Amino acid sequence: SQKIEQNSEALNIQEGKTATLTCNYTNYSPAYLQWYRQDPGRGPVFLLLIRENEKEKRKERLKVTFDTTLKQSLFHITASQPADSATYLCALYGTASKLTFGTGTRLQVTL
Amino acid sequence: GAVVSQHPSWVICKSGTSVKIECRSLDFQATTMFWYRQFPKQSLMLMATSNEGSKATYEQGVEKDKFLINHASLTLSTLTVTSAHPEDSSFYICSAPSGRAWGGELFFGEGSRLTVL
């Protein structure tokens, strides 16, 4: 069956450090992979999209990598700030043309 | 980016009653909208795809007679939870695509927290 796995344990890092979140998937051949941010009690907000033929994408302090051989995406936030604390979701478009989400990883950035 | 508005943001109702949730695209037209449900500490689960002018497409295991979806215009989709029960209590979120033909990002509403007593 298709699975999208993100580390369910919260990631705690110190302000200023780089946060790295992992998204692994099985039984997918996604053409696109997306990352969203979700704050408690709010809807997700789109952050970045990366295509299957792209290795890396950057946007300000965010960087996403996509390894279709390993079936993995890494999401990096450099120079983390307390305001970056949230749950980060990866999502895949599969052949069914539906966006399916992982369970998300909660990031907590402390001073 | 595009704005999707959802209303109400929270609602409490008695068991057996029906609740309607509205999802509006404020500054763009959406022929397709998606309805998700999210239980605490779980991921978003796609319930159905709402299509303007035609019937919604429901995911496996989602009762179409219980979760009525109407997409009457290019800017409005509604989800009605009929005969709600406590197990229907959840966070319901709608979204609409950015306009890219396929694979584009989704713009989400703020979500509607439903509590059924």
Side-chain angles (χ1 to χ4, degrees):
Chain A
S1 61
Q2 294 178 323
K3 285 185 181 179
I4 303 172
E5 295 180 326
Q6 295 183 257
N7 194 337
S8 58
E9 292 183 12
L11 177 63
N12 295 295
I13 65 164
Q14 200 171 23
E15 183 181 21
K17 303 291 186 183
T18 296
T20 299
L21 287 71
T22 304
C23 175
N24 295 296
Y25 59 92
T26 54
N27 295 322
Y28 270 99
S29 295
Y32 301 88
L33 187 146
Q34 302 181 16
W35 284 88
Y36 289 78
R37 168 184 173 141
Q38 187 176 25
D39 290 286
R42 309 290 291 272
V45 174
F46 171 78
L47 296 174
L48 279 170
L49 177 154
I50 188 166
R51 296 177 177 81
E52 62 179 339
N53 60 352
E54 297 176 314
K55 297 291 185 184
E56 182 179 298
K57 201 79 167 281
R58 291 175 185 261
K59 179 181 176 183
E60 297 174 351
R61 294 186 295 113
L62 308 180
K63 184 179 84 171
V64 172
T65 63
F66 192 11
D67 189 327
T68 56
T69 301
L70 290 179
K71 296 187 183 297
Q72 181 182 79
S73 175
L74 299 178
F75 178 79
H76 307 271
I77 305 176
T78 58
S80 297
Q81 305 167 0
D84 295 326
S85 299
T87 295
Y88 291 86
L89 307 166
C90 77
L92 300 178
Y93 263 110
T95 53
S97 299
K98 301 171 191 173
L99 193 61
T100 303
F101 286 84
T103 51
T105 297
R106 191 167 66 86
L107 173 65
Q108 184 70 43
V109 181
T110 55
L111 294 171
Chain B
V3 178
V4 174
S5 175
Q6 206 171 323
H7 178 81
S9 55
W10 59 270
V11 57
I12 301 173
C13 70
K14 292 183 179 180
S15 186
T17 60
S18 295
V19 173
K20 180 186 284 188
I21 300 170
E22 293 186 347
C23 179
R24 294 181 185 274
S25 56
L26 296 187
D27 51 358
F28 68 105
Q29 294 182 332
T31 57
T32 300
M33 290 185 176
F34 302 97
W35 287 95
Y36 288 83
R37 179 168 56 182
Q38 186 176 36
F39 292 105
K41 297 188 178 181
Q42 293 188 24
S43 185
L44 283 77
M45 297 300 297
L46 181 64
M47 299 176 64
T49 302
S50 172
N51 303 298
E52 188 268 334
S54 63
K55 291 183 179 180
T57 304
Y58 291 81
E59 294 302 299
Q60 190 173 14
V62 178
E63 300 175 57
K64 61 180 181 181
D65 294 330
K66 181 168 184 62
F67 299 99
L68 301 180
I69 291 173
N70 185 289
H71 196 148
S73 77
L74 288 171
T75 59
L76 174 64
S77 175
T78 60
L79 168 68
T80 300
V81 183
T82 62
S83 186
H85 288 91
E87 58 266 28
D88 298 323
S89 298
S90 188
F91 191 51
Y92 293 86
I93 318 174
C94 70
S95 66
S98 63
R100 191 194 302 257
W102 186 83
E105 63 266 31
L106 295 183
F107 295 98
F108 283 84
E110 290 297 329
S112 299
R113 172 82 54 196
L114 171 64
T115 301
V116 184
L117 302 176

